[in-house]
Amino acid sequence: MLSKRIIPCLDIDNGRVVKGTKFLNIRDAGDPSELANFYNKEGADELVFLDITATHENRKTLIDVVRNVSSQVFIPLTVGGGIRALNDMKIMLEAGADKVSINSSAISNPKLITECAKEFGSQCVVSAIDVKKIDTQWTVFTHGGRKVTDIDVIDWVQIVEENGAGEILLTSMDKDGSYDGYDLELLNRINEKISIPLIASGGAGKLEHLVDALSVGNADAVLAASIFHYGEFSIKQAKDFLRKNKIQVRL
Amino acid sequence: MPNIAILDTKSANFHSVKKAVDLFDTDNEITSSRDQVLRSKGLIIPGVSSTDTVLNNIYESELDKTILEFYELGKPILCICVGMQILFETSEEGKLPGLSIIEGKVIRIPEFDNNKNNYKIPHMGWNQLEISKDSNLFSEIENKTDFYFVHSYQCVPKDKKIITSITNYSNNIVASIEKNNLYAVQFHPEKSSNIGLKIYENFINLTRKN
């Protein structure tokens, strides 16, 4: 039986992990390789690195991070943030990434997904989508949540799948950082529309929230940053808890 | 000559494979040279992307003959994911004929199980191996261990006796086969954390026995 995945997300700025470097020893180092190694030992199923500034300088340090981590940590690595062209993706894959997530650029040019999937296979292409509810519509935002579009996410997920995305990383901006749980209704609505794996992101505060996203929300994987970085829970604790709740995980 | 040749099929994730091999034997090379391949002690055929892309590269540079020659020399070969699928006669994924080293076909993973439950394709993530036959490749690896899979097609060998493990999804998917000196896995050992690295270690140990 396919295991549900737990994926820690590392936001990278200037070669350092920026979320939660202040609270625990492991984060005092703030070093992506150390954190990646730590999460791997704890049983993380994949890792996501997000370039939060997407500046030219940060891109260079991110490539070094990926190169370094991929020679030590042998689990799937996804890299995202500021991917604008096929060549950006190629550079990341050559540095050792297994998947690349595309967000804003796909909105202005949905064919970018097709282009990347054709060249490297759908399994490499993750469509990252940031969503906020406006009135009754879950609306897609771009540029790290700074720009609103008029696109309904229910339509958008079908477009990215048709264009060749292999997976969807869905972040609820309403829930992000709220610690009050993933948007289960949103997850369910999206799941009805797609036949590719769905990663839930935004809102994890308790281990019950992971259970809910994976069972009630029917997500294939959960992404979390704060609850792991700030040391509230370890990945091992999370997996033990999921297993107790009859969710298949890799131990 | 390198101990381990990692076949350059132009479209594979050979960087990750090389990094994993480096941990156990730094004397390895990503190559498509017939001479280098034939003189190495072990051959790895990595696989990412589609079967036709890989097969096209293989036929264009006549690597099919090299692979067959290497196989006939009796030295260990490890094929990964699409690297496994190209060994068969046909694949529903593409039009090109396979290498036909293994009798059988490659079919699309069924979307439904026997109870009409719907499954997502690709089969992506960690799934448990059910080891059905002893294999040197699985030395010190426990049954029911999770490995990382990502694929939309599955191998159906004619001779079921070559199957060494399966994994369960919408149906039982052949996860590994072994035929003489040929070892092939559907999962990605280079992405399956420490237990996956053990597969590389076991394979490299096999190459040292010759």
Short mmCIF file of all heavy atoms in Angstrom, two decimals, chain A residues 6 22 32 38 57 69 83-84 89 92 94 126 128 140 161 165 179 183 207 214-215 221 244 249:
data_model
loop_
_atom_site.label_atom_id
_atom_site.label_comp_id
_atom_site.label_asym_id
_atom_site.label_seq_id
_atom_site.Cartn_x
_atom_site.Cartn_y
_atom_site.Cartn_z
N ILE A 6 5.29 12.68 4.38
CA ILE A 6 5.49 13.89 5.16
C ILE A 6 6.70 14.63 4.58
O ILE A 6 7.78 14.06 4.44
CB ILE A 6 5.73 13.58 6.65
CG1 ILE A 6 4.48 12.93 7.24
CG2 ILE A 6 6.12 14.83 7.41
CD1 ILE A 6 4.55 12.74 8.74
N LYS A 22 15.58 30.29 14.73
CA LYS A 22 15.88 30.96 15.99
C LYS A 22 15.64 30.11 17.23
O LYS A 22 16.12 30.45 18.30
CB LYS A 22 15.01 32.22 16.11
CG LYS A 22 15.29 33.24 15.04
CD LYS A 22 14.21 34.30 15.06
CE LYS A 22 13.67 34.49 13.65
NZ LYS A 22 12.32 35.01 13.64
N PRO A 32 21.12 24.56 5.64
CA PRO A 32 20.20 23.66 4.93
C PRO A 32 20.68 22.21 4.90
O PRO A 32 19.86 21.30 5.04
CB PRO A 32 20.15 24.23 3.52
CG PRO A 32 20.64 25.61 3.63
CD PRO A 32 21.56 25.68 4.79
N PHE A 38 19.30 16.00 9.05
CA PHE A 38 18.53 15.73 10.26
C PHE A 38 17.14 15.19 9.91
O PHE A 38 16.72 14.16 10.43
CB PHE A 38 18.43 17.03 11.08
CG PHE A 38 17.54 16.91 12.28
CD1 PHE A 38 17.95 16.23 13.42
CD2 PHE A 38 16.28 17.51 12.27
CE1 PHE A 38 17.13 16.13 14.54
CE2 PHE A 38 15.45 17.41 13.39
CZ PHE A 38 15.87 16.72 14.52
N GLU A 57 21.32 36.36 -6.86
CA GLU A 57 22.32 35.88 -5.90
C GLU A 57 21.81 34.67 -5.13
O GLU A 57 22.52 33.71 -4.90
CB GLU A 57 22.69 36.99 -4.88
CG GLU A 57 23.41 38.18 -5.46
CD GLU A 57 22.50 39.04 -6.31
OE1 GLU A 57 21.29 39.14 -5.98
OE2 GLU A 57 22.98 39.59 -7.32
N VAL A 69 23.32 19.14 -0.72
CA VAL A 69 22.35 18.25 -0.06
C VAL A 69 22.19 16.95 -0.85
O VAL A 69 22.17 15.86 -0.27
CB VAL A 69 20.98 18.94 0.11
CG1 VAL A 69 19.91 17.94 0.55
CG2 VAL A 69 21.09 20.08 1.13
N ILE A 83 11.28 29.88 -10.78
CA ILE A 83 11.54 29.09 -12.00
C ILE A 83 10.74 29.70 -13.15
O ILE A 83 9.51 29.71 -13.11
CB ILE A 83 11.15 27.60 -11.79
CG1 ILE A 83 11.93 26.98 -10.63
CG2 ILE A 83 11.32 26.79 -13.08
CD1 ILE A 83 13.43 26.85 -10.83
N ARG A 84 11.45 30.25 -14.13
CA ARG A 84 10.76 30.99 -15.19
C ARG A 84 10.88 30.35 -16.56
O ARG A 84 10.12 30.66 -17.47
CB ARG A 84 11.32 32.42 -15.27
CG ARG A 84 11.02 33.22 -14.03
CD ARG A 84 11.49 34.67 -14.16
NE ARG A 84 11.29 35.33 -12.87
CZ ARG A 84 12.21 35.40 -11.93
NH1 ARG A 84 13.41 34.86 -12.11
NH2 ARG A 84 11.96 36.00 -10.78
N MET A 89 14.95 25.12 -14.90
CA MET A 89 14.64 23.78 -14.42
C MET A 89 15.82 22.86 -14.65
O MET A 89 16.21 22.09 -13.78
CB MET A 89 13.40 23.27 -15.14
CG MET A 89 13.04 21.85 -14.74
SD MET A 89 11.35 21.46 -15.15
CE MET A 89 11.26 19.78 -14.60
N MET A 92 18.54 23.24 -12.13
CA MET A 92 18.21 22.65 -10.83
C MET A 92 18.32 21.12 -10.86
O MET A 92 18.81 20.51 -9.92
CB MET A 92 16.79 23.05 -10.41
CG MET A 92 16.68 24.50 -9.99
SD MET A 92 17.84 24.89 -8.66
CE MET A 92 17.65 26.65 -8.56
N GLU A 94 20.20 19.37 -12.83
CA GLU A 94 21.62 19.01 -12.93
C GLU A 94 22.32 19.17 -11.59
O GLU A 94 23.29 18.46 -11.30
CB GLU A 94 22.31 19.84 -14.01
CG GLU A 94 22.05 19.26 -15.39
CD GLU A 94 22.56 20.12 -16.53
OE1 GLU A 94 23.14 21.20 -16.26
OE2 GLU A 94 22.36 19.72 -17.67
N VAL A 126 6.23 19.87 -10.62
CA VAL A 126 5.25 20.09 -9.57
C VAL A 126 4.61 21.45 -9.81
O VAL A 126 5.31 22.45 -9.97
CB VAL A 126 5.91 20.08 -8.17
CG1 VAL A 126 4.88 20.30 -7.08
CG2 VAL A 126 6.67 18.78 -7.95
N ALA A 128 2.98 24.35 -8.17
CA ALA A 128 2.72 24.95 -6.86
C ALA A 128 1.67 26.03 -7.02
O ALA A 128 1.76 26.87 -7.91
CB ALA A 128 4.01 25.53 -6.28
N VAL A 140 -6.57 32.00 -7.21
CA VAL A 140 -5.13 31.78 -7.32
C VAL A 140 -4.37 33.09 -7.17
O VAL A 140 -4.73 34.10 -7.78
CB VAL A 140 -4.80 31.13 -8.69
CG1 VAL A 140 -3.29 30.97 -8.86
CG2 VAL A 140 -5.51 29.79 -8.84
N GLU A 161 -2.95 20.01 -14.82
CA GLU A 161 -2.87 18.56 -15.07
C GLU A 161 -2.87 18.26 -16.57
O GLU A 161 -2.05 17.48 -17.05
CB GLU A 161 -4.02 17.80 -14.38
CG GLU A 161 -3.92 16.31 -14.66
CD GLU A 161 -4.91 15.44 -13.86
OE1 GLU A 161 -5.53 15.93 -12.90
OE2 GLU A 161 -5.02 14.26 -14.21
N ALA A 165 1.51 18.58 -15.60
CA ALA A 165 2.07 18.58 -14.24
C ALA A 165 1.92 17.18 -13.63
O ALA A 165 0.92 16.50 -13.87
CB ALA A 165 1.35 19.61 -13.37
N TYR A 179 -1.94 27.69 12.20
CA TYR A 179 -1.88 26.56 13.14
C TYR A 179 -3.25 25.94 13.42
O TYR A 179 -3.40 25.21 14.37
CB TYR A 179 -1.24 26.97 14.49
CG TYR A 179 0.22 27.29 14.42
CD1 TYR A 179 0.65 28.61 14.23
CD2 TYR A 179 1.17 26.28 14.55
CE1 TYR A 179 2.01 28.91 14.18
CE2 TYR A 179 2.53 26.57 14.49
CZ TYR A 179 2.94 27.89 14.30
OH TYR A 179 4.27 28.18 14.24
N ASP A 183 -7.00 23.33 5.02
CA ASP A 183 -8.34 23.60 4.49
C ASP A 183 -8.88 22.31 3.85
O ASP A 183 -8.60 22.00 2.70
CB ASP A 183 -8.26 24.73 3.45
CG ASP A 183 -9.65 25.22 3.06
OD1 ASP A 183 -10.61 24.43 3.16
OD2 ASP A 183 -9.76 26.39 2.66
N LEU A 207 -0.69 17.47 15.37
CA LEU A 207 -0.55 16.24 14.60
C LEU A 207 -1.90 15.77 14.05
O LEU A 207 -1.96 15.17 12.99
CB LEU A 207 0.09 15.15 15.46
CG LEU A 207 1.53 15.46 15.90
CD1 LEU A 207 2.10 14.32 16.73
CD2 LEU A 207 2.42 15.77 14.71
N LEU A 214 -4.73 14.02 5.47
CA LEU A 214 -4.45 12.78 4.76
C LEU A 214 -5.66 11.84 4.69
O LEU A 214 -5.78 11.05 3.77
CB LEU A 214 -3.26 12.05 5.40
CG LEU A 214 -1.94 12.81 5.34
CD1 LEU A 214 -0.89 12.16 6.22
CD2 LEU A 214 -1.42 12.93 3.91
N SER A 215 -6.55 11.95 5.69
CA SER A 215 -7.72 11.07 5.67
C SER A 215 -8.95 11.82 5.17
O SER A 215 -9.44 11.57 4.08
CB SER A 215 -7.96 10.45 7.04
OG SER A 215 -8.08 11.44 8.03
N ALA A 221 0.07 13.72 0.43
CA ALA A 221 1.23 14.12 1.21
C ALA A 221 0.91 15.41 1.95
O ALA A 221 0.02 16.16 1.54
CB ALA A 221 2.42 14.33 0.29
N LYS A 244 -0.70 5.33 14.35
CA LYS A 244 -1.70 5.02 15.37
C LYS A 244 -3.11 5.29 14.85
O LYS A 244 -4.08 4.65 15.24
CB LYS A 244 -1.46 5.89 16.62
CG LYS A 244 -1.01 5.07 17.82
CD LYS A 244 -0.82 5.94 19.04
CE LYS A 244 0.58 5.78 19.59
NZ LYS A 244 1.01 6.94 20.36
N VAL A 249 2.32 4.90 6.77
CA VAL A 249 3.50 5.75 6.56
C VAL A 249 4.75 4.88 6.57
O VAL A 249 4.75 3.77 7.09
CB VAL A 249 3.64 6.83 7.66
CG1 VAL A 249 2.63 7.93 7.47
CG2 VAL A 249 3.56 6.24 9.05
#
